[in-house]
Amino acid sequence: FPCQVIRNFSIIAHIDHGKSTLADRLLELTGTIPKKALGSNQQVLDKLKVERERGITVKAQTASMTHTVSGRKYLLNLIDTPGHVDFSWEVSRSLAACQGALLLVDATQGVQAQSISVFHIAKERRLKIIPVLNKIDMPASQPERIVAQLQSIFGIDPDEVLQISAKTGQGVDAVLQAIIERIPPPSASVDEPFKALLFDSHYDRYRGVISLVSIHNGVIRKGDKIASSHSRKKYEVQEVGIMHPEELPTTSLQPGQVGYIACNMKESSEAHVGDTLHRVGIPVDPMPGFQPIKAMVYAGIFPVDTNDFVKLEESIRRLTLTDRSVTCQRESSSALGQGCRLGFLGTLHMDVFRQRLEDEYDASIIVTAPTVPYKVVYRNNNTVIVSNPTEFPDLSDASTGVKEVHEPVVKASIIVPEDYLGEMMELCFSHRAEDVGHRFLDSGTTTSTRVILTCTIPLSEIVTDFFDKLKGRSSGYASFDYEDAGYKASDLSKARIKICMVFLLNGKPVDALALIVHRSAQQDVGKMWVKKLHKVIPRQLFEVPIQAAIGKKIIARETLKAVRADVTAGLYGGHYERKMKHLENQKESKRRMKRIGSVDLPQEAFFDILSTK
Ligand code: GTP
């Protein structure tokens, strides 16, 4: 395939606007997969179980297809992108390998928060954008209105907008046509030295790391010797091929093509996303890489059974090979034993990772409450990033020498119908939003107008239940997106400063349950958690005080009444076997007990506590 007949493109859209459905139709229409290969709700490109269950795309997948127009055969490379705020890093990475993008907008919903953010990422990368209205088969669709919206928000020419139903296939032919006609071919050359961008990778048990690359110049074949500009390590190419949509070996990868390379990379850390590959001995100018990933949310992950730590760590290591955006460090807790502290892009990302650990590695785990990374500046100007509540300094104690605490903030945008504007503003203000502003998106229509509300908001405010509240208080209409906006100093003089809250069982702190909370919220949070603990901790042989403390001060308390010891007490009537079985059971559950301050706490209790919101 010479460059002129290659088109590299992505589908970009707000979550649920129909990317995966359209991708499937394109694969079907080009004969890449048989029609209705899978159930209508199972998309081919969404490979992970968690993706199918939740209907969201987590990891970008790539597929190549061919299509013939007027007797000319074209090679179309589709690079799928995930559709959630947490994964915008993957979006920008996927787009680096494209020359064009289909901007897919649901004709019943119109432009949503992520439609705007992905549009800007694509614009920044100077991609040709093809606007596509989807779901026009639905009675609730309002094509004219949404076309007007695209024009007023993005300056898109209404004549360029395609109208389709990815579900029925209506109009999808025209999409293929537009990809070929409107998206420029990659500009690449066979004669220049080999140069390829590594934009993704996954791990194969037998062949090691498989790298997805887009070839900028030159040709690559099995047996070629290549090197990484990043690590300067050298490799011999074992296999090249395209994703069709499964791996399909080819004799070579030509300039402008997107495909995979297997070259005996043993460690996934060797496949540096954004790296430039070149031929050994013929170095090239590396292409600009990607910004390093930044973890936004941290949580501890511990095995339910402490003996499983080695297995858990291995599972986490394997899983991070397929999800490179997760950072991992060992952590140990007096209550939960050995575990790992992981950094995630957001809370959905964390949820997805947890579920994958459970699904794919059959791991029983406990996840501690999520925290954001705080920057603590000391009077001697030392700066420390604290991402674990137990390491958070006691700010009420002047001798700790803390000068300032900075917390991560994000620039958020929320799109809602005008009627909900007041409600949304209130929600933002109650979560410490600043610089709140708004702008009308479409006016002059008879139906309700939509507004985009923007603000700066501390990340810690949105990592818990902000998204749920947003949906709840807007009857599900609000869409939400955010981008990192750096750090901002918290005001240490006010009641709003952050403090570490610890819970005591029988006077002993349980480190795994520590939280960073606002001073102004300490009473409410303390009471709520103490109640929750009271509910899940089994009664003991003696009375157990459950307390919440800030520093040395106790701010909430519940008392767990004592229970009588003999579990067989109620079983008389003299059934010996039944009695023995009961004692056996008791022994079994003892093994999984954690002893804290002489209180026996089943591991499951932690699970109950930490899994309820
Ligand atoms: P994420 O991967 O989670 O971002 O979602 P997505 O954009 O890939 O959306 P997906 O293709 O999963 O579609 C979301 C829902 O819309 C699914 O229930 C689809 O069946 C439905 N859907 C997609 N396209 C159409 C369409 O043209 N018409 C109708 N009626 N439903 C559609």
Side-chain angles (χ1 to χ4, degrees):
F1 287 98
C3 269
Q4 297 76 19
V5 299
I6 297 177
R7 302 289 182 273
N8 298 322
F9 70 102
S10 259
I11 306 173
I12 53 174
H14 187 77
I15 187 159
D16 270 355
H17 282 199
K19 275 189 312 283
S20 309
T21 310
L22 176 59
D24 282 3
R25 282 302 92 68
L26 293 175
L27 292 173
E28 279 177 11
L29 213 60
T30 54
T32 314
I33 54 166
K35 266 207 161 122
K36 299 264 180 305
L38 294 162
S40 53
N41 278 329
Q42 270 192 347
Q43 274 108 21
V44 174
L45 289 186
D46 284 355
K47 286 181 185 160
L48 304 170
K49 180 172 168 220
V50 21
E51 293 184 336
R52 286 202 304 273
E53 273 177 19
R54 300 184 175 217
I56 49 161
T57 317
V58 175
K59 193 156 164 60
Q61 304 277 2
T62 298
S64 299
M65 50 200 133
T66 56
H67 188 59
T68 306
V69 177
S70 325
R72 201 166 187 203
K73 199 167 176 183
Y74 290 86
L75 176 65
L76 313 179
N77 298 313
L78 161 64
I79 292 144
D80 198 19
T81 56
H84 188 275
V85 274
D86 283 2
F87 303 102
S88 53
W89 182 73
E90 295 241 351
V91 175
S92 97
R93 184 172 93 167
S94 309
L95 293 188
C98 300
Q99 285 74 45
L102 306 174
L103 175 66
L104 195 64
V105 177
D106 185 329
T108 66
Q109 307 242 314
V111 172
Q112 297 290 341
Q114 265 116 19
S115 318
I116 297 183
S117 61
V118 290
F119 173 84
H120 288 302
I121 300 176
K123 264 280 174 228
E124 260 164 41
R125 298 215 166 255
R126 302 222 172 102
L127 302 190
K128 172 71 194 172
I129 292 170
I130 301 175
V132 181
L133 275 196
N134 188 28
K135 307 198 189 180
I136 56 160
D137 60 298
M138 290 179 73
S141 74
Q142 300 178 296
E144 293 86 43
R145 179 166 174 225
I146 313 299
V147 168
Q149 235 176 45
L150 290 174
Q151 187 176 21
S152 75
I153 300 171
F154 301 126
I156 284 172
D157 177 354
D159 291 337
E160 289 195 359
V161 183
L162 302 176
Q163 302 197 6
I164 68 159
S165 163
K167 190 171 179 182
T168 66
Q170 184 191 346
V172 178
D173 239 337
V175 175
L176 282 174
Q177 186 93 16
I179 292 168
I180 289 167
E181 282 170 6
R182 298 191 207 169
I183 297 176
S187 60
S189 153
V190 204
D191 306 322
E192 302 274 321
F194 172 73
K195 176 175 178 176
L197 171 75
L198 191 163
F199 68 91
D200 199 0
S201 71
H202 58 268
Y203 192 78
D204 181 281
R205 209 171 289 194
Y206 305 105
R207 293 172 298 167
V209 179
I210 309 287
S211 304
L212 289 187
V213 295
S214 78
I215 312 290
H216 281 236
N217 292 317
V219 179
I220 186 151
R221 291 186 182 81
K222 182 179 170 179
D224 285 353
K225 305 247 184 344
I226 56 168
S228 145
S229 306
H230 181 74
S231 69
R232 299 183 185 271
K233 279 192 180 152
K234 296 176 186 144
Y235 304 94
E236 185 176 321
V237 177
Q238 307 294 318
E239 185 181 315
V240 298
I242 58 171
M243 306 299 288
H244 193 61
E246 302 298 332
E247 284 165 19
L248 176 73
T250 56
T251 48
S252 65
L253 282 179
Q254 302 283 328
Q257 261 189 294
V258 169
Y260 71 90
I261 296 182
C263 59
N264 260 346
M265 274 188 191
K266 292 277 183 298
E267 293 291 328
S268 75
S269 56
E270 293 171 59
H272 183 80
V273 168
D275 197 357
T276 302
L277 303 176
H278 60 85
R279 216 172 273 286
V280 169
I282 314 177
V284 294
D285 288 336
M287 288 170 271
F290 303 105
Q291 280 182 355
I293 332 148
K294 230 160 79 188
M296 305 277 256
V297 177
Y298 289 84
I301 293 196
F302 296 87
V304 168
D305 183 342
T306 42
N307 295 323
D308 285 345
F309 174 70
V310 175
K311 197 176 128 213
L312 175 69
E313 196 181 38
E314 176 59 21
S315 303
I316 290 176
R317 201 187 64 82
R318 290 232 195 110
L319 203 48
T320 50
L321 295 182
T322 62
D323 184 352
R324 305 290 294 285
S325 45
V326 177
T327 61
C328 177
Q329 261 183 331
R330 275 200 182 183
E331 175 178 23
S332 80
S333 145
S334 59
L336 298 175
Q338 275 287 349
C340 293
R341 179 145 277 261
L342 303 187
F344 302 98
L345 303 171
T347 41
L348 178 80
H349 185 212
M350 176 174 103
D351 257 15
V352 165
F353 192 87
R354 197 208 65 226
Q355 199 179 339
R356 286 187 67 188
L357 255 186
E358 288 171 348
D359 289 353
E360 296 167 37
Y361 294 94
D362 198 21
S364 292
I365 49 175
I366 293 166
V367 183
T368 64
T371 19
V372 302
Y374 292 92
K375 203 186 263 178
V376 179
V377 184
Y378 289 88
R379 278 198 286 275
N380 61 8
N381 281 332
N382 263 357
T383 302
V384 180
I385 300 277
V386 176
S387 56
N388 194 336
T390 53
E391 288 159 15
F392 202 74
D394 182 358
L395 299 177
S396 54
D397 179 356
S399 69
T400 53
V402 174
K403 187 167 78 178
E404 284 165 352
V405 175
H406 297 238
E407 63 177 333
V409 288
V410 295
K411 222 179 133 230
S413 42
I414 297 168
I415 296 183
V416 267
E418 189 186 8
D419 306 349
Y420 294 96
L421 181 61
E423 189 79 23
M424 290 298 106
M425 285 203 155
E426 224 169 76
L427 177 70
C428 291
F429 282 125
S430 68
H431 284 83
R432 299 189 290 140
E434 288 179 2
D435 311 324
V436 180
H438 70 274
R439 176 164 66 84
F440 288 92
L441 284 182
D442 40 6
S443 45
T445 42
T446 45
T447 37
S448 124
T449 306
R450 290 177 336 135
V451 273
I452 178 164
L453 188 159
T454 52
C455 62
T456 313
I457 195 164
L459 181 62
S460 63
E461 295 288 335
I462 58 171
V463 296
T464 49
D465 55 356
F466 184 78
F467 191 69
D468 296 339
K469 282 190 194 155
L470 184 94
K471 285 282 176 195
R473 288 170 68 171
S474 67
S475 314
Y477 282 120
S479 72
F480 174 59
D481 192 30
Y482 62 80
E483 59 185 275
D484 181 20
Y487 276 85
K488 192 162 192 277
S490 309
D491 189 346
L492 291 187
S493 63
K494 289 199 187 135
R496 316 217 78 171
I497 68 163
K498 297 281 185 170
I499 40 184
C500 178
M501 181 178 289
V502 181
F503 296 89
L504 310 171
L505 284 186
N506 212 17
K508 285 275 168 6
V510 188
D511 57 356
L513 297 181
L515 293 174
I516 295 177
V517 294
H518 248 143
R519 176 162 286 170
S520 60
Q522 66 182 42
Q523 290 293 344
D524 294 346
V525 175
K527 270 196 201 131
M528 183 188 80
W529 278 80
V530 162
K531 275 219 172 73
K532 211 148 94 172
L533 289 167
H534 183 256
K535 231 192 249 161
V536 298
I537 297 174
R539 286 158 76 183
Q540 314 280 319
L541 296 176
F542 44 88
E543 198 175 271
V544 179
I546 303 170
Q547 298 161 306
I550 305 279
K552 292 192 179 69
K553 202 167 139 225
I554 304 293
I555 53 158
R557 171 185 173 128
E558 289 274 335
T559 307
L560 197 65
K561 291 225 173 64
V563 73
R564 249 186 291 148
D566 191 355
V567 287
T568 62
L571 291 176
Y572 282 113
H575 223 294
Y576 178 74
E577 262 172 52
R578 198 154 104 218
K579 184 173 170 181
M580 284 316 286
K581 194 162 166 228
H582 238 281
L583 287 173
E584 226 13 73
N585 283 347
Q586 199 187 31
K587 220 159 80 196
E588 174 64 31
S589 58
K590 264 269 157 54
R591 252 182 257 136
R592 278 178 286 135
M593 292 282 181
K594 283 270 136 202
R595 179 157 281 222
I596 295 157
S598 67
V599 177
D600 284 330
L601 200 60
Q603 290 279 10
E604 293 77 15
F606 281 102
F607 190 77
D608 287 349
I609 296 159
L610 292 165
S611 61
T612 48
K613 276 197 176 156

